[in-house]
Amino acid sequence: MSYKTLRGIGTSELVIKKSVFIGYASPANSEEEAKAFIAKIKAHHRDAAHNVSAYLINDDKSFALRYDDDGEPKGSAGKPILKVIQNKGLNNVVVVVTRYFGGIKLGYGGLVKAYSDAASLAIENAGMAEIFETRRFETVFPYRFYHTVKETIEKNGGKVVDEEYRELVKFTVETKKGEAESLMNLLIEKTRGRLKLKPLFMRSV
């Protein structure tokens, strides 16, 4: 299974009609991680009017989807944050938007926009990452094919993760699951069959 998530933690801060909205977005590999992140932000901003949250966990191990308006009018805060996560096509993500009330009411539509914008900006500042299942294989070949093999791998979505130099060159190559076979066939073609190939194992990165 492949999916998009966040590269790291992102933050944002917006001031709207004297209310301050502080957004936090983070990757989360489980519902427990998401809840722990929310608890951490709530503890840090315990004096805030609201700590609104949403998370979506969806991978090959588990599924969980939750949002919490934390005292804001129903559907005006947590749900819009969740929609931002979904609209960006993200999984395994948690977002918290803290609000310090400035004394001026924003109205339902104003709240939806404020929470959505704070969440979206925090997510953008976190950066995107693609998680996908990979396959590795080894290839052994004569030195004269070094540049041909390396360029073929790198130009076709593969990555050399280990190199060994003895009588022959040995590369450990990593590529997306489903693309390994075509890359191996291309290497055979480019070297006219003058290399050996050995499939290894799969993992998620």
XYZ file of all heavy atoms in Angstrom, residues 10-44:
263
model
N 4.568 20.579 11.116
C 4.424 21.921 10.568
C 3.552 22.766 11.470
O 2.669 22.257 12.164
N 3.798 24.071 11.484
C 3.007 24.981 12.314
C 2.524 26.165 11.481
O 3.038 26.427 10.392
C 3.831 25.515 13.503
O 4.949 26.246 13.002
C 4.312 24.375 14.382
N 1.537 26.858 12.009
C 1.029 28.070 11.366
C 0.452 28.991 12.429
O 0.147 28.544 13.551
C -0.047 27.721 10.334
O -1.191 27.157 10.980
N 0.307 30.250 12.096
C -0.332 31.191 13.023
C -1.066 32.258 12.227
O -0.486 32.894 11.343
C 0.695 31.837 13.952
C 0.050 32.744 15.000
C 1.023 33.203 16.074
O 1.951 32.439 16.407
O 0.852 34.340 16.577
N -2.342 32.422 12.527
C -3.176 33.422 11.869
C -3.868 34.269 12.933
O -4.268 33.754 13.976
C -4.246 32.755 10.997
C -3.776 31.821 9.881
C -4.986 31.117 9.262
C -3.009 32.586 8.823
N -4.008 35.557 12.653
C -4.771 36.440 13.525
C -5.985 36.924 12.736
O -5.841 37.570 11.696
C -3.940 37.638 14.006
C -4.788 38.529 14.911
C -2.699 37.164 14.749
N -7.167 36.567 13.200
C -8.407 36.918 12.519
C -9.342 37.584 13.511
O -9.779 36.960 14.478
C -9.070 35.673 11.901
C -8.088 34.982 10.946
C -10.355 36.047 11.167
C -8.532 33.617 10.483
N -9.625 38.860 13.281
C -10.491 39.645 14.174
C -10.087 39.474 15.645
O -10.905 39.156 16.507
C -11.956 39.268 13.967
C -12.496 39.669 12.597
C -13.982 39.359 12.471
C -14.518 39.809 11.120
N -15.965 39.509 10.975
N -8.802 39.644 15.875
C -8.179 39.608 17.209
C -8.076 38.208 17.821
O -7.455 38.044 18.873
C -8.926 40.540 18.175
C -8.851 42.004 17.776
C -9.493 42.886 18.838
C -9.403 44.360 18.458
N -10.011 45.229 19.489
N -8.677 37.185 17.182
C -8.474 35.814 17.654
C -7.206 35.253 17.004
O -6.951 35.467 15.815
C -9.662 34.916 17.278
O -10.728 35.084 18.172
N -6.415 34.549 17.790
C -5.182 33.939 17.282
C -5.426 32.442 17.072
O -5.870 31.741 17.987
C -4.008 34.148 18.258
C -2.737 33.502 17.712
C -3.781 35.634 18.514
N -5.146 31.967 15.864
C -5.273 30.547 15.528
C -3.877 29.991 15.268
O -3.168 30.472 14.376
C -6.148 30.366 14.288
C -7.594 30.745 14.496
C -7.997 32.077 14.361
C -8.541 29.790 14.821
C -9.331 32.439 14.553
C -9.873 30.141 15.021
C -10.267 31.468 14.886
N -3.488 28.985 16.046
C -2.169 28.366 15.915
C -2.365 26.919 15.475
O -2.997 26.130 16.190
C -1.387 28.412 17.247
C -1.312 29.857 17.766
C 0.013 27.842 17.064
C -0.795 29.965 19.184
N -1.842 26.596 14.322
C -2.018 25.248 13.778
C -0.792 24.374 13.970
O 0.341 24.845 13.890
N -1.029 23.098 14.218
C 0.033 22.097 14.340
C -0.371 20.883 13.513
O -1.483 20.368 13.667
C 0.227 21.646 15.792
C 0.628 22.743 16.747
C -0.338 23.500 17.396
C 1.967 23.003 17.010
C 0.017 24.507 18.282
C 2.338 24.005 17.901
C 1.364 24.758 18.534
O 1.721 25.744 19.407
N 0.512 20.426 12.644
C 0.248 19.237 11.834
C 1.425 18.276 11.970
O 2.581 18.697 11.940
C 0.057 19.614 10.364
N 1.106 16.993 12.117
C 2.172 16.013 12.352
C 1.808 14.663 11.734
O 0.628 14.298 11.701
C 2.397 15.834 13.853
O 3.310 14.781 14.122
N 2.805 13.908 11.267
C 2.531 12.520 10.906
C 2.225 11.710 12.156
O 2.703 12.045 13.249
C 3.843 12.049 10.246
C 4.886 12.961 10.792
C 4.220 14.271 11.074
N 1.424 10.677 12.025
C 1.093 9.787 13.152
C 0.918 8.383 12.602
O 0.110 8.168 11.696
C -0.177 10.246 13.846
N 1.666 7.441 13.131
C 1.627 6.073 12.618
C 0.539 5.218 13.244
O 0.347 4.073 12.843
C 2.988 5.401 12.816
C 4.063 6.041 11.951
O 3.820 6.360 10.797
N 5.241 6.232 12.504
N -0.167 5.771 14.236
C -1.233 5.024 14.896
C -2.177 6.000 15.580
O -1.850 7.183 15.762
C -0.655 4.061 15.937
O -0.054 4.786 16.994
N -3.348 5.487 15.990
C -4.293 6.331 16.709
C -3.699 6.765 18.043
O -3.944 7.891 18.503
C -5.607 5.580 16.909
C -6.711 6.444 17.486
C -8.078 5.786 17.467
O -8.147 4.546 17.312
O -9.077 6.513 17.612
N -2.921 5.901 18.667
C -2.287 6.226 19.945
C -1.335 7.417 19.780
O -1.292 8.317 20.622
C -1.528 5.019 20.497
C -2.403 3.890 20.987
C -3.111 3.132 19.863
O -2.578 3.139 18.715
O -4.186 2.573 20.112
N -0.560 7.424 18.689
C 0.353 8.538 18.423
C -0.415 9.830 18.198
O -0.011 10.903 18.658
C 1.238 8.240 17.209
C 2.412 7.344 17.494
C 3.387 7.275 16.325
O 3.387 8.200 15.488
O 4.138 6.288 16.256
N -1.533 9.733 17.476
C -2.354 10.917 17.206
C -2.908 11.487 18.508
O -2.852 12.700 18.752
C -3.486 10.559 16.244
N -3.435 10.620 19.357
C -3.996 11.068 20.638
C -2.916 11.684 21.526
O -3.172 12.672 22.236
C -4.668 9.894 21.346
C -5.982 9.456 20.693
C -6.582 8.263 21.435
C -7.926 7.863 20.850
N -8.509 6.687 21.534
N -1.734 11.111 21.507
C -0.636 11.632 22.326
C -0.221 13.023 21.846
O 0.074 13.910 22.660
C 0.557 10.679 22.273
N -0.219 13.224 20.531
C 0.136 14.533 19.981
C -0.900 15.583 20.387
O -0.558 16.695 20.799
C 0.223 14.447 18.452
C 0.664 15.724 17.787
C 1.995 16.082 17.773
C -0.264 16.571 17.201
C 2.410 17.271 17.168
C 0.129 17.759 16.594
C 1.474 18.107 16.582
N -2.182 15.212 20.296
C -3.261 16.124 20.695
C -3.127 16.491 22.171
O -3.238 17.659 22.551
C -4.630 15.486 20.411
C -4.850 15.327 18.905
C -5.753 16.327 21.016
C -6.018 14.437 18.536
N -2.876 15.488 23.004
C -2.731 15.725 24.448
C -1.561 16.667 24.744
O -1.650 17.531 25.624
C -2.539 14.399 25.173
N -0.489 16.510 23.991
C 0.698 17.352 24.177
C 0.384 18.814 23.846
O 0.762 19.724 24.586
C 1.835 16.833 23.292
C 3.120 17.621 23.396
C 4.176 17.030 22.480
C 5.457 17.861 22.504
N 6.480 17.302 21.590
N -0.315 19.039 22.734
C -0.659 20.408 22.335
C -1.646 21.018 23.331
O -1.522 22.185 23.709
C -1.249 20.437 20.909
C -0.238 19.879 19.894
C -1.661 21.860 20.529
C 1.093 20.577 19.867
N -2.610 20.223 23.777
C -3.588 20.725 24.761
C -2.900 21.125 26.066
O -3.259 22.133 26.688
C -4.648 19.655 25.023
C -5.706 19.554 23.932
C -6.827 18.603 24.353
C -7.981 18.669 23.378
N -9.126 17.826 23.800
N -1.930 20.346 26.487
C -1.205 20.663 27.718
C -0.398 21.946 27.552
O -0.301 22.766 28.473
C -0.298 19.506 28.097
N 0.171 22.114 26.361
C 0.987 23.292 26.090
C 0.129 24.560 26.042
O 0.563 25.645 26.447
C 1.740 23.113 24.773
C 2.662 24.244 24.437
N 3.784 24.543 25.183
C 2.618 25.170 23.439
C 4.397 25.584 24.658
N 3.709 25.988 23.602
